[in-house]
Amino acid sequence: MSSDDRGKDRRQQDAAVEVERRQGDRRRWKRIPVEIWGEASDGEATYFHQAADLSAGGVFFTGAIPQPVGTVVKIKLELPGVEPLTVNGVVVNTGGGVDLGMGVQFTDLSDEERARIDAVVESD
């Protein structure tokens, strides 16, 4: 098998895994596409990213060079119509495939923080 064939097989497998992942999606929170800026700080450095989607459970930063899964981060989001929100999170996925990005699950949200995120999500 040539390297071109192996590359094609890998891309087909990656696409099949992505389709299966989406079909088995068990998210608890309504998720909306967004184009907002956020900061992710791991205590040593702060990274600026654009978010691609948002829910009360977390955020996905697209085009981001991901931090390792399990990294604890402080997230600051520029939410539309409300003051910036700073919350804690943990990196739970790194996008996979050829697209750079990382998913961050919010941790320890207060009722007020969750309500602010829900207001943005439900206004969509």
Side-chain angles (χ1 to χ4, degrees), residues 35-71:
E35 290 183 8
I36 59 175
W37 285 97
E39 298 175 15
S41 175
D42 63 5
E44 294 181 18
T46 300
Y47 305 91
F48 298 90
H49 305 294
Q50 184 160 8
D53 63 48
L54 174 71
S55 75
V59 63
F60 186 82
F61 293 112
T62 187
I65 297 174
Q67 294 171 306
V69 169
T71 301

Side-chain angles (χ1 to χ4, degrees), residues 39-41 54 56-59 72-77 79 84-90 104-110 112-114 116-117:
E39 298 175 15
S41 175
L54 174 71
V59 63
V72 175
V73 292
K74 186 168 287 292
I75 301 293
K76 181 178 180 183
L77 296 171
L79 299 175
L85 179 66
T86 302
V87 297
N88 295 316
V90 62
V104 177
Q105 181 178 9
F106 300 138
T107 57
D108 306 323
L109 284 182
S110 69
E112 187 269 335
E113 291 165 336
R114 186 171 311 281
R116 289 175 62 192
I117 295 169

